[in-house]
Amino acid sequence: MHKTSVMQALQSAVARGYVWHVSGVVAAEKFLALQEKFAERYDTGLSRWQRCRQRRQGAAGVRFFAYPEQGTTRFLWWLLFTEGENTAFQQEHGRRQVSDKKGRLCWGTEFELVQLPTQNGKVSWSWRMTRERVQEWQGEIQAAIRTTRSEDAIKAVMARLVRLPGFKGVRQQVFELHRFAKDDWGRIRRKAKSWEPPARPGYVRFRSDETASAAQIVQRLLVEQTPFGTEPVISKQESPEEETMAVVNADRKTGLPIPRGRDACRVLLFREAEQIQTFIAERWSYESIRLWLLDRYGATFDIPLPAFRERVRRALQVKAAPVLKEVSRTIIQPASIVEQAEEKKNEQPEKTRRLTWEEKRAGRFPGSGTTVVHNSKPRRDELY
């Protein structure tokens, strides 16, 4: 995952109507709990199609973004939502609108998202550096020109400028900083040969949504490694849950083969249903349960957290169904023929109606006579 990709995803979301935001900074050890809280409260783990259907029915769409802060063990996070009915408007009192000058969407203290004019007279969203950051660059340029008589220092500063994300606002500011450096060079070193700054940063190319496992990034940050790397983690700071995971993996030997294929996840959840119920009773988080299964069975459980939570819920319901059926056989007595006829007479056929968004998402379809009416295929711009 690249920093430019996350900035581009935030810009694209704002351009598609996610104009309200809440942002902050959270420590790495608390990030997974924050992510799970937002997923349970605001359904931030929905797919594009689910968000599209949600917005068509008048509800607000909510998206969650995060990225590790450079040089620290913290995460920058943003919660974006659109206009509409949602609990985020009721619970997130510190929400701000991106078009407000005092409430702009910022990337720490380095960048801010603003509207800039285009050649056709319209405006578009783009990133640019904050005023404080531009002043810091000007100070570095002046110090590099005045501290040495060679060009190595100023070339090093200019090389860092070229590596900045090439958004429209940033490119304009880099061009102004180049002109500032050239003027300051001619004023301070009048007898030296003229110096031309290098080219501006390259244009930002469109990138598809790139994601990375939050648990792996947190684990790398906690052992003081780079958040995105290919080398294995050197050591682990095991929590009490992770110590329990190691004990369970060492003692539990089923001897059964590990299935593969489309239904492997469902089969394994049935196999470990009792252990999962024990974990839930011990107040384990769903992310911790997923990591335990991922470590035990491999890539079968390398799935998003909302999808894993829904599969666990369905597996536990199916597992508990035979038990409830046996109990009903022993306790519930059959009704008489007259009572059955009277009940059948009083039954009324259920009318066909459209399901609500909550019923579709939860998978609860009341009544056998319900007819599911599918919506038409949305446009590309509505998938956000």
Side-chain angles (χ1 to χ4, degrees):
M1 178 186 289
H2 298 276
K3 176 180 177 180
T4 306
S5 301
V6 181
M7 297 177 69
Q8 192 178 55
L10 287 167
Q11 175 186 345
S12 179
V14 171
R16 285 174 169 82
Y18 290 82
V19 295
W20 292 93
H21 74 97
V22 178
S23 59
V25 182
V26 63
E29 56 269 15
K30 299 180 181 180
F31 175 73
L32 294 179
L34 178 70
Q35 184 185 32
E36 187 170 354
K37 182 184 75 171
F38 285 153
E40 292 178 354
R41 287 186 180 181
Y42 310 134
D43 290 332
T44 55
L46 300 181
S47 65
R48 291 184 178 182
W49 300 93
Q50 290 172 328
R51 288 196 301 267
C52 173
R53 288 192 291 268
Q54 191 178 39
R55 293 182 63 181
R56 279 187 172 185
Q57 295 179 0
V62 185
R63 300 190 66 182
F64 178 67
F65 300 89
Y67 195 82
E69 189 177 15
Q70 185 177 5
T72 66
T73 57
R74 303 184 302 176
F75 279 85
L76 302 173
W77 62 268
W78 303 267
L79 186 69
L80 275 63
F81 41 94
T82 63
E83 299 282 356
E85 298 180 0
N86 193 279
T87 54
F89 275 87
Q90 302 173 1
Q91 299 184 12
E92 300 296 335
H93 301 290
R95 63 182 183 275
R96 294 174 293 177
Q97 201 165 12
V98 293
S99 58
D100 188 4
K101 290 184 178 180
K102 296 183 179 180
R104 285 174 177 164
L105 184 67
C106 296
W107 186 286
T109 58
E110 190 174 4
F111 300 102
E112 61 182 0
L113 192 63
V114 296
Q115 285 183 308
L116 299 177
T118 59
Q119 295 181 355
N120 56 7
K122 300 181 180 180
V123 293
S124 63
W125 290 99
S126 180
W127 289 95
R128 73 177 183 187
M129 290 184 287
T130 60
R131 182 179 301 178
E132 294 77 10
R133 185 56 182 152
V134 173
Q135 292 176 354
E136 292 177 2
W137 278 109
Q138 291 177 350
E140 291 186 28
I141 291 172
Q142 291 177 342
I145 293 176
R146 287 163 175 77
T147 52
T148 178
R149 294 192 174 276
S150 65
E151 300 180 3
D152 295 338
I154 188 62
K155 286 183 179 180
V157 176
M158 292 294 107
R160 289 168 50 208
L161 273 176
V162 173
R163 290 196 297 268
L164 290 176
F167 294 95
K168 179 180 178 180
V170 177
R171 287 174 55 84
Q172 293 176 355
Q173 291 175 319
V174 170
F175 177 77
E176 295 174 357
L177 288 173
H178 284 175
R179 186 168 53 188
F180 173 83
K182 185 176 180 180
D183 295 342
D184 196 62
W185 177 275
R187 184 173 60 256
I188 300 301
R189 302 189 178 187
R190 290 176 294 181
K191 296 182 179 181
K193 63 178 181 180
S194 60
W195 173 78
E196 290 292 337
R200 281 180 280 181
Y203 291 98
V204 175
R205 296 182 179 180
F206 177 78
R207 297 175 179 269
S208 58
D209 293 343
E210 298 181 5
T211 59
S213 174
Q216 294 180 1
I217 298 175
V218 169
Q219 188 179 19
R220 297 181 66 88
L221 288 176
L222 292 180
V223 297
E224 299 181 355
Q225 287 186 314
T226 56
F228 307 104
T230 57
E231 71 277 6
V233 180
I234 299 175
S235 61
K236 296 183 179 180
Q237 298 179 355
E238 294 186 346
S239 61
E241 289 183 355
E242 291 174 344
E243 293 176 359
T244 309
M245 289 181 192
V247 174
V248 172
N249 285 333
D251 297 340
R252 189 176 178 85
K253 296 181 179 179
T254 60
L256 298 175
I258 299 177
R260 294 288 184 267
R262 184 178 58 182
D263 297 331
C265 181
R266 183 169 177 267
V267 174
L268 293 174
L269 287 176
F270 286 159
R271 182 184 299 179
E272 300 292 346
E274 297 180 1
Q275 187 63 51
I276 292 174
Q277 290 177 345
T278 304
F279 289 155
I280 294 176
E282 295 175 357
R283 303 185 67 83
W284 279 37
S285 64
Y286 279 93
E287 179 65 17
S288 300
I289 299 174
R290 190 188 69 83
L291 291 177
W292 176 74
L293 292 169
L294 180 65
D295 180 65
R296 186 173 177 82
Y297 294 110
T300 304
F301 291 95
D302 189 12
I303 57 178
L305 182 60
F308 172 75
R309 188 188 297 108
E310 181 65 19
R311 292 183 184 181
V312 170
R313 185 186 65 81
R314 293 181 180 180
L316 295 181
Q317 285 181 351
V318 174
K319 195 71 175 179
V323 179
L324 296 177
K325 188 175 181 180
E326 293 295 332
V327 173
S328 64
R329 287 178 180 176
T330 56
I331 297 177
I332 302 175
Q333 298 296 331
S336 61
I337 299 177
V338 178
E339 293 177 355
Q340 292 179 359
E342 189 69 20
E343 291 179 359
K344 188 175 181 180
K345 183 179 179 181
N346 296 331
E347 288 181 355
Q348 297 294 334
E350 186 175 355
K351 295 182 179 180
T352 302
R353 65 178 181 84
R354 286 181 178 270
L355 298 177
T356 64
W357 166 250
E358 291 296 333
E359 291 172 347
K360 289 181 181 180
R361 185 177 64 83
R364 303 186 184 95
F365 305 109
S368 59
T370 302
T371 301
V372 180
V373 181
H374 297 280
N375 294 328
S376 59
K377 184 176 180 181
R379 298 190 301 272
R380 177 180 177 84
D381 293 341
E382 296 178 348
L383 295 181
Y384 294 83

